[in-house]
Amino acid sequence: MKRFLVKCLLLALIVGGILHLGGLAYQRTTTYENLERNDNTQGFSRMPEQIDLAVLGPSHGMEDFLVFPEGRTAFNFALSSQTAQYDWMMLRQYGDRLADGAVVVMTVSYLSPFWNDTPEQFQAKQERYYRVLDPWNIVDVDLAHWVLQRFSPLLVNAPAEIAAAFLDPEPLNPTLEEKMHTASLEEEKIPEEQERIRRNHLSSIQRSFPEVNATMWEAYHEMLELCRDKGWNAVLVVPPYSEAYNQCFSEEFFSVFWERMETLSETYGVPLLDYSHDARFTGRIDLFADLDHLNFTGAEAFDAVVWEDLADLGLM
């Protein structure tokens, strides 16, 4: 019996070793790199040990903050459609890397306080967090899935996809920055884009409007309290939007949105920087990739403005 148990243990070690090493090999394939490029998580493995400028938020933070000031060690935690709840999880996970007096830019989109994902939308974004967060920072975590993913991604991906990654490697997709260099908002596409915004963004907001989503609102309070306790300098930033994007929202919406943002700013004594209707950007469709995201030229111009404004506030 003892010999049988030893053989079982030895077999388990061999299989485990193969799976682990195979997983490491899979992580070096273009298929896996494309997975990380598509959701922009590839930078997390190269995160600095100490950060003095952090950016949180959804895709507007991810795409609009690309060029950081010299002399600052920056990291962008923003991801596409990332909710305030997951901004909070990012801050909990990586807060020990933020330096004393670090600047924390909290990118706030029009959706952010009202965000309501459908179950399908929520699940579609979950997988990326299994790669970059500990289980206690993942909402509704499947602990077994987290363990398997960390031990070997071979255990949580379809065998056909894994085989193709080795036998028929994908060409590398462009990086976010490369895509933004070539992105541009075409005037003839604006009506189509506005319909997309009304269909996607407004539908999410209207599930709770005029009330905020309590979970998201609590996350903002948690983040701002943590920043205050840790001595980090939080800043609420609403990025530039095109005039065509702003036209999709009502005066009632803007009234409620700004009342909520100003309340946060005043409660915690943090700056609220609003560029949403800034004429330097709003009327310049050549600076936009689509209705609500800047292209690289726009991001470069916007970043210069933000860092100068933060310097004027004594934060840079």
Side-chain angles (χ1 to χ4, degrees):
M1 183 66 177
K2 185 177 179 181
R3 292 179 63 186
F4 175 74
L5 292 176
V6 169
K7 289 181 179 179
C8 288
L9 178 61
L10 182 61
L11 179 62
L13 290 173
I14 292 171
V15 172
I18 292 171
L19 286 171
H20 183 66
L21 293 174
L24 293 176
Y26 176 65
Q27 288 174 318
R28 291 177 173 81
T29 65
T30 55
T31 297
Y32 191 86
E33 186 169 349
N34 280 339
L35 179 68
E36 293 197 316
R37 286 191 178 194
N38 290 343
D39 60 25
N40 209 43
T41 56
Q42 73 273 22
F44 281 78
S45 63
R46 303 187 295 273
M47 186 184 299
E49 289 297 320
Q50 190 168 63
I51 298 163
D52 57 21
L53 175 56
V55 174
L56 301 168
S59 55
H60 306 95
M62 180 180 77
E63 298 185 14
D64 291 356
F65 289 98
L66 292 178
V67 182
F68 295 100
E70 291 185 15
R72 307 292 297 205
T73 304
F75 191 82
N76 196 326
F77 293 94
L79 296 174
S80 179
S81 297
Q82 181 158 282
T83 65
Q85 185 180 30
Y86 265 115
D87 283 341
W88 165 226
M89 296 298 139
M90 290 287 186
L91 206 55
R92 292 201 325 182
Q93 176 84 28
Y94 297 107
D96 60 348
R97 299 195 184 209
L98 268 61
D100 294 340
V103 174
V104 179
V105 175
M106 297 168 61
T107 314
V108 183
S109 77
Y110 291 160
L111 280 74
S112 297
F114 312 98
W115 206 302
N116 284 279
D117 279 333
T118 65
E120 293 76 19
Q121 289 168 333
F122 174 80
Q123 287 299 329
K125 296 182 289 185
Q126 277 290 86
E127 188 63 32
R128 64 192 183 187
Y129 295 114
Y130 283 86
R131 299 198 299 273
V132 300
L133 293 176
D134 289 332
W136 46 86
N137 290 323
I138 298 175
V139 181
D140 296 335
V141 66
D142 178 340
L143 186 57
H145 183 88
W146 186 88
V147 171
L148 293 175
Q149 162 68 34
R150 290 305 177 95
F151 181 73
S152 175
L154 299 185
L155 297 171
V156 296
N157 288 276
E161 294 177 4
I162 294 168
F166 291 104
L167 301 176
D168 186 20
E170 300 176 2
L172 274 177
N173 294 338
T175 63
L176 173 66
E177 189 170 311
E178 288 169 344
K179 287 188 286 189
M180 291 183 65
H181 268 291
T182 59
S184 62
L185 174 59
E186 300 174 13
E187 191 162 2
E188 60 270 20
K189 294 287 183 68
I190 288 177
E192 178 184 331
E193 280 283 287
Q194 288 179 314
E195 180 56 34
R196 176 183 64 84
I197 296 304
R198 294 187 181 101
R199 184 175 61 251
N200 297 337
H201 292 199
L202 293 185
S203 64
S204 178
I205 290 170
Q206 287 167 352
R207 294 186 191 114
S208 62
F209 188 84
E211 298 302 320
V212 294
N213 180 318
T215 299
M216 304 308 160
W217 198 240
E218 181 182 0
Y220 277 115
H221 284 277
E222 294 280 9
M223 286 187 285
L224 290 167
E225 287 174 6
L226 182 63
C227 287
R228 183 171 59 188
D229 293 344
K230 295 290 188 179
W232 302 328
N233 296 295
V235 185
L236 298 164
V237 178
V238 183
Y241 296 122
S242 69
E243 183 178 356
Y245 184 72
N246 286 328
Q247 289 170 354
C248 295
F249 298 85
S250 67
E251 289 302 319
E252 180 190 11
F253 169 80
F254 286 124
S255 176
V256 173
F257 176 80
W258 287 117
E259 187 275 329
R260 289 292 188 169
M261 289 299 101
E262 288 164 3
T263 296
L264 271 185
S265 174
E266 292 166 6
T267 300
Y268 293 95
V270 300
L272 171 60
L273 303 182
D274 169 30
Y275 302 95
S276 63
H277 291 71
D278 192 318
R280 291 171 292 183
F281 305 98
T282 299
R284 295 275 308 276
I285 67 170
D286 59 304
L287 298 180
F288 285 86
D290 54 30
L291 291 193
D292 57 317
H293 299 88
L294 298 166
N295 57 27
F296 186 85
T297 301
E300 189 174 34
F302 170 58
D303 294 343
V305 169
V306 175
W307 309 141
E308 183 176 351
D309 288 347
L310 290 181
D312 290 342
L313 291 170
L315 297 179
M316 298 296 289

